[in-house]
Structures are given as C-alpha cells and as structure tokens.
Amino acid sequence: MEAVMTREALAIELGKTGQGDRAAFQRVYEATSSKLLGVCLRILGDRGLAEDVLQDTYLTVWRRAETFDATRASPITWLVTIARNRAIDRLRSAGARVQTRPVDDAFEVADDAPLASAQIESADEARRLNGCLEELDDKVGGAIRTAFFEGVTYDELSQRQDVPLGTMKSWIRRGLLKLRACLEQ
C-alpha cells in the first residue's frame, strides 16, 4: 500500500534523505515507488527492466537528494525526471532507437482531433444538458450527475442519501425522463 504524502511533506522527506536519514528515504520510497514504477514501465514496456531501472532511480535519489531544490521543482517532478531519464538511458544502452521521420512527412499525418465545428456542437450539447439538469430538483439532478459522471452505483447513492434503493431508482428514472423531454425541445 502506497503512503499518501503531500507535496510539502515529500519535500521535507527528500531534504532529510539528503542528510542521510534512512527512515525518510523509506518514506519517500513508500510514497512514490508505484508512480515511478509506472513511469519506467510505460517507457520500457518490460516489468523486469522497469524494476531494475526503479532500483537505479532510488540509488540516484539517495545519492543526489541533497541537490533537490523545492523552489525549482515539485518533489514528484524531480523524482519522475530521474526515473524517466534512467529509463531512457536503459533503452539507449540496449541499442533501442526512436523511429524518426523527416519533418515534411508531418503534412501526411492525419490529425485525429475533432473538427472545430464538432467541438462547438459538443460544447453546445453540454450547455443544453447542464441547463436541463439545472431544471431538475437538486437531489435528483445531483443523483444523476453522481451516477453518470462519477460512476457511482444506485446502491451507493441510496446509502449516501439514506433512502431506499427503489426510491433512488425512481428518482433517477423520473429525472432521466424529464431530461429527455427537456433535450427534445
């Protein structure tokens, strides 16, 4: 289980690590190792290599923690940069090369971003939906938002609102019918 640590607390622990505090180093490791492993794994694509690079990363952190400056970078940014650089170094040492193409080839690459007209249309639809949600009773609109935008189950919603599950389902069903009618206008 990864420890949760604020940015300020992590900066303090890195400072202590720079002074040779092994317990502080352990806390830094516990708070950041899964994130840094994810960075290494994303770059290397191999868990064994990623774990090796993670170990190298923390050796570097132990040796260079006294150089960390919280006024220049956040602690996690500093740590991720070290992990990223170590992973890229490992790729390079293995002879991996990044495939590059001439800049003129960029004109042939399709842009997958939606067209501006589609983005405007989508924004208009979102405004209409939000307007219709505002017309609903607060508890019903809130339940629909929570269920559909946050992925909370009806059962969880009924427990949060302290109402029977059937009541929650009825609220949402009636609310969705009102939404549909509003959106069809």
Side-chain angles (χ1 to χ4, degrees):
M1 173 94 179
E2 185 170 295
V4 176
M5 193 177 296
T6 65
R7 172 189 247 189
E8 293 77 20
L10 188 54
I12 291 168
E13 295 301 324
L14 277 171
K16 290 178 183 177
T17 299
Q19 297 168 355
D21 185 333
R22 291 177 185 268
F25 180 65
Q26 178 69 31
R27 289 187 291 273
V28 168
Y29 177 85
E30 289 170 356
T32 61
S33 60
S34 67
K35 180 173 187 70
L36 298 187
L37 179 61
V39 169
C40 295
L41 192 54
R42 195 166 44 252
I43 292 169
L44 297 166
D46 177 89
R47 187 168 185 89
L49 280 176
E51 288 172 351
D52 288 347
V53 169
L54 184 67
Q55 182 177 357
D56 292 344
T57 298
Y58 280 105
L59 285 173
T60 301
V61 169
W62 176 252
R63 283 185 240 136
R64 295 187 42 213
E66 75 277 356
T67 67
F68 171 70
D69 181 359
T71 62
R72 294 179 50 134
S74 76
I76 198 67
T77 300
W78 187 75
L79 292 164
V80 166
T81 301
I82 293 171
R84 180 184 173 280
N85 290 342
R86 291 288 169 268
I88 290 170
D89 289 346
R90 180 63 62 96
L91 277 179
R92 288 179 181 151
S93 71
R97 297 281 180 239
V98 176
Q99 295 281 336
T100 60
R101 295 172 62 185
V103 74
D104 292 337
D105 289 354
F107 293 111
E108 298 171 16
V109 177
D111 184 1
D112 292 336
L115 297 174
S117 58
Q119 289 177 334
I120 291 169
E121 190 174 308
S122 179
D124 286 342
E125 289 173 2
R127 264 192 300 282
R128 285 187 60 226
L129 177 62
N130 283 325
C132 289
L133 280 168
E134 292 298 322
E135 291 180 15
L136 297 176
D137 180 71
D138 286 344
K139 64 184 176 190
V140 174
I144 289 174
R145 279 188 176 97
T146 305
F148 292 95
F149 297 148
E150 297 175 26
V152 175
T153 66
Y154 291 0
D155 188 44
E156 290 175 88
L157 282 170
S158 70
Q159 290 174 13
R160 286 183 187 181
Q161 296 291 325
D162 196 28
V163 296
L165 178 59
T167 301
M168 181 58 64
K169 287 180 178 179
S170 294
W171 286 358
I172 291 176
R173 173 145 174 74
R174 284 193 304 267
L176 290 174
L177 290 172
K178 287 179 183 178
L179 268 181
R180 184 170 68 185
C182 177
L183 290 171
E184 288 175 349
Q185 293 178 355

